[in-house]
Amino acid sequence: MSRHKPMLFKNARVHTMDNVEPHADWFTALGGRIQRMGEGAAPELPHAIDLKGATVVPGFVDAHAHFFQTGVDLLFIDMSGVMNVAEVGERITSVPGGPRTWVFAQGFEEDEVKDARFVTREHLDAFVPTRPVWINRVDYHSAVVNSAALSRLRIPIGMPGLVLESGRPNGILRSEAYFYAKAKVTALYPQEVREGAIREASRRFVRSGITAVHALEGGRLFGGEGVSMVLRRIESIPLDVTLFLQEKNIFFTTRLGFRHLGGCILIDGSIGSYTAAIDEDYPGMPGYRGQLYEKAREFNRFVEEAHTAGVQLAFHAIGPRAIDMVLDAYERAMERHPRYNHRHRIEHFEMATDEQIQRARNIGVVACMQPSFEYLWGGPDGMYAKRLGEGWRRTNPLRRVLDGGMRLAGGSDANVTPPEPLLGIHAAVNHPNPEHRITPYEALHMMTVDAAYAAFNEARHGSLVAGKEANFVVLGEDPLSVDPKRIKDIPVLETWYAGKRVWRKTDEER
């Protein structure tokens, strides 16, 4: 489409997500922006696209994604779906390379392996005895490595998270040991992987209808390479990128011009890796309630400094003890230095209590949550139940967050879970705990309008209104009226960003 000639999109069912004019049958775009919206008979224009009754919604906004690492993972071995130790071996032996070449794999879920409670270095050594092997757990909070990798990584024997059996490391790395090793491993990524990661991530996001992403880059969990690669390629990325810098250095951040700080600056770990800071013992682990990675005094000082510098803050907090730490720091900073419309965030917010929801609402905190977690790990038979027992009923209380008056932004947490907004909408509507379900409209809102709001971008995108960017998705069915059990199966037919089609499902695929 020419950016200098108006283009008409007609014969569509358009959900604008605008309160004034929520529906339209046609719209025009000019210069990469929405020009007019209308119902009824469409105007005659020489440049027109007949959408043949398809549904159009605003381009999805992924409010929590690790963009560079998502691309990296697409170029590594995918361990999802392995059911036994033999399958683990088949996948890690499929990678060509010399005796010193690392084998990188991701997406591993040890709960799916039926013939071993935990996969350890001994299992990996049996298949790959000399090449170093690194297998990331799906949540990127733990990993398993073989003996060759342990030898290269040189993790201090007393470091927390280095799991021992009979006084020797068994290859499982959690918490501090994982972060220590992950920093070394990130520096070893092959150059062709670094160069191709942005390209692969871009393709993956736009094919899911995503036209804007909050890219959470840097920090000890993912390393600084993602920041530099995103900045180097940002003009060629076919979607809007808001960079959240995961660094606890205010001077460095503000000097570089960043106004969004955090994302996966970790206050606690994850439920899957037994490191989320919960408020009761993990079943079968007396006295153990997960981990807090920050000390209150230093954390409060950092939050106050960033808050007074005018930065928007976002912190990873899953368990109630971690959420309390973030809320305490936010409340303290705002009491000392009142600042309105700060839009500080809490990422994940998975086990928030009703009291915490009210505290967050009272000071204007935005919840950025990932409903797909419930589809993948929720319910009485899912990973949450295996880790928390009856505590699975508390996870991702979307209904209570909305009813409590908070703004709720949706994200995928890619690379941890797929960047699939329709899967997120499906999971929110079909939450395994009926008390936490939200409506299809509310779920679409969290993936568009509120996700844009969560990075101060609502004036540019998030809804289809004259003057905003022409970012929209053409869908094969209407997520607001289709059988709720089929939302995740709705096909994305086309993705348009700034008035240009950046992805199209072929006729053969439709």
Side-chain angles (χ1 to χ4, degrees), residues 104-122:
F104 298 107
Q106 52 77 28
F108 181 57
E109 293 196 63
E110 69 272 30
D111 297 275
E112 301 299 317
V113 178
K114 306 303 182 187
D115 54 352
R117 183 167 182 262
F118 293 109
V119 173
T120 67
R121 66 176 176 84
E122 292 187 358

Side-chain angles (χ1 to χ4, degrees), residues 162-174:
L162 182 65
V163 181
L164 305 179
E165 288 184 10
S166 302
R168 298 182 60 207
N170 70 358
I172 297 174
L173 311 177
R174 298 184 179 128

Side-chain angles (χ1 to χ4, degrees), residues 483-502:
D483 179 347
K485 300 296 185 184
R486 294 179 47 236
I487 293 174
K488 65 181 176 59
D489 301 318
I490 294 174
V492 174
L493 304 181
E494 297 181 7
T495 303
W496 290 73
Y497 169 63
K500 293 183 178 180
R501 185 164 54 201
V502 293

Side-chain angles (χ1 to χ4, degrees), residues 84-95:
N84 53 58
V85 172
E87 285 188 51
V88 173
E90 288 174 9
R91 298 198 192 186
I92 63 176
T93 55
S94 67
V95 182

Side-chain angles (χ1 to χ4, degrees), residues 98-362:
R100 295 181 61 81
T101 305
W102 280 75
V103 176
F104 298 107
Q106 52 77 28
F108 181 57
E109 293 196 63
E110 69 272 30
D111 297 275
E112 301 299 317
V113 178
K114 306 303 182 187
D115 54 352
R117 183 167 182 262
F118 293 109
V119 173
T120 67
R121 66 176 176 84
E122 292 187 358
H123 294 110
L124 303 184
D125 288 348
F127 297 104
V128 185
T130 58
R131 295 177 65 184
V133 176
W134 172 272
I135 303 178
N136 248 311
R137 193 183 185 280
V138 64
D139 59 4
Y140 265 69
H141 285 265
S142 60
V144 59
V145 299
N146 68 348
S147 296
L150 282 171
S151 177
R152 302 277 189 91
L153 293 169
R154 299 180 181 277
I155 303 169
I157 196 68
M159 181 170 282
L162 182 65
V163 181
L164 305 179
E165 288 184 10
S166 302
R168 298 182 60 207
N170 70 358
I172 297 174
L173 311 177
R174 298 184 179 128
S175 63
E176 295 300 325
Y178 171 76
F179 301 136
Y180 175 88
K182 177 64 168 57
K184 292 188 173 186
V185 168
T186 300
L188 298 169
Y189 290 164
Q191 188 59 32
E192 61 270 22
V193 169
R194 299 170 189 269
E195 294 294 332
I198 298 298
R199 178 190 66 247
E200 294 300 319
S202 297
R203 290 173 178 171
R204 183 66 183 84
F205 277 71
V206 297
R207 87 176 198 207
S208 298
I210 296 167
T211 58
V213 61
H214 303 171
L216 283 45
E217 307 294 338
R220 64 175 181 170
L221 196 58
F222 293 101
E225 187 71 12
V227 178
S228 61
M229 293 303 296
V230 169
L231 289 175
R232 283 168 56 188
R233 303 291 180 85
I234 197 164
E235 295 300 324
S236 64
I237 297 173
L239 66 163
D240 185 277
V241 178
T242 299
L243 194 59
F244 279 69
L245 191 63
Q246 299 178 139
E247 298 287 348
K248 288 176 61 181
N249 185 321
I250 303 301
F251 179 79
F252 173 73
T253 301
T254 54
R255 280 292 297 270
L256 290 176
F258 290 100
R259 288 295 177 265
H260 310 277
L261 181 61
C264 278
I265 292 179
L266 304 178
I267 308 306
D268 64 348
S270 74
I271 296 170
S273 290
Y274 298 96
T275 49
I278 60 178
D279 52 8
E280 54 190 31
D281 296 350
Y282 279 91
M285 305 175 75
Y288 180 71
R289 300 186 174 190
Q291 295 180 254
L292 289 169
Y293 295 137
E294 296 286 343
K295 292 182 170 57
R297 175 178 288 184
E298 290 84 353
F299 181 65
N300 288 344
R301 186 183 303 121
F302 168 71
V303 169
E304 182 175 352
E305 184 181 359
H307 174 76
T308 57
V311 172
Q312 181 190 19
L313 289 165
F315 296 103
H316 163 120
I318 287 177
R321 293 192 295 125
I323 293 170
D324 267 340
M325 178 174 278
V326 179
L327 290 174
D328 288 347
Y330 282 166
E331 289 169 342
R332 179 178 180 273
M334 281 181 262
E335 182 177 337
R336 294 185 173 196
H337 310 279
R339 177 177 146 216
Y340 304 99
N341 201 32
H342 51 78
R343 304 190 196 181
H344 294 328
R345 299 170 28 163
I346 297 180
E347 310 299 299
H348 307 312
F349 208 56
E350 282 188 64
M351 299 186 72
T353 65
D354 289 344
E355 179 188 3
Q356 289 171 333
I357 290 168
Q358 283 305 307
R359 288 176 65 193
R361 184 258 182 195
N362 290 343

